[in-house]
Amino acid sequence: MRKNSANTLAHLLGAMAAGRAVTIRYIRKDGMVSRRRIEIHSVQVTSAGNITFRAWDHRDEEMTTFRLDRITHYTLHRTPKLAAYSFPTYAEVAEVVDEDGDVTEIRAWGTYELAA
């Protein structure tokens, strides 16, 4: 892992632990660049060795997987989580295929809604 990737991983894990939103610049597989505000829920390593984040994507209003090596810039927000979404309460193992076709085992969460 490159040094800047290690720093990015450390900062994003810190944001996840603190419950903070992050704005990222992300390069998709097709080369398109997008800017996303996300809230990270979990980190996985694919069978191909890629580090991925499962995060709430404010733009698409859904859980999305992002690869660490495709995040080129990021901004850590100091404000608490911004989305009104569900939090995990239980887990079941599920097989998931990411955008590159890599299969990874992750935990799919059952949820409850938070009061506003």
Side-chain angles (χ1 to χ4, degrees), residues 21-88:
V22 181
T23 297
I24 62 172
R25 187 167 74 182
Y26 188 76
I27 301 173
R28 295 186 337 198
K29 183 179 181 179
D30 63 7
M32 296 292 293
V33 177
S34 64
R35 185 173 164 214
R36 309 285 186 93
R37 188 174 66 209
I38 62 172
E39 295 169 16
I40 301 167
H41 284 256
S42 64
V43 179
Q44 299 91 31
V45 178
T46 66
S47 58
N50 295 312
I51 298 171
T52 62
F53 294 95
R54 286 290 290 164
W56 179 256
D57 182 352
H58 286 267
R59 187 187 77 176
D60 295 340
E61 296 185 349
E62 65 184 9
M63 292 297 287
T64 306
T65 300
F66 298 95
R67 277 183 36 180
L68 175 64
D69 61 329
R70 292 189 177 160
I71 297 172
T72 60
H73 293 82
Y74 61 93
T75 302
L76 305 174
H77 298 279
R78 294 180 184 223
T79 57
K81 290 184 176 183
L82 304 171
Y85 57 84
S86 302
F87 284 92

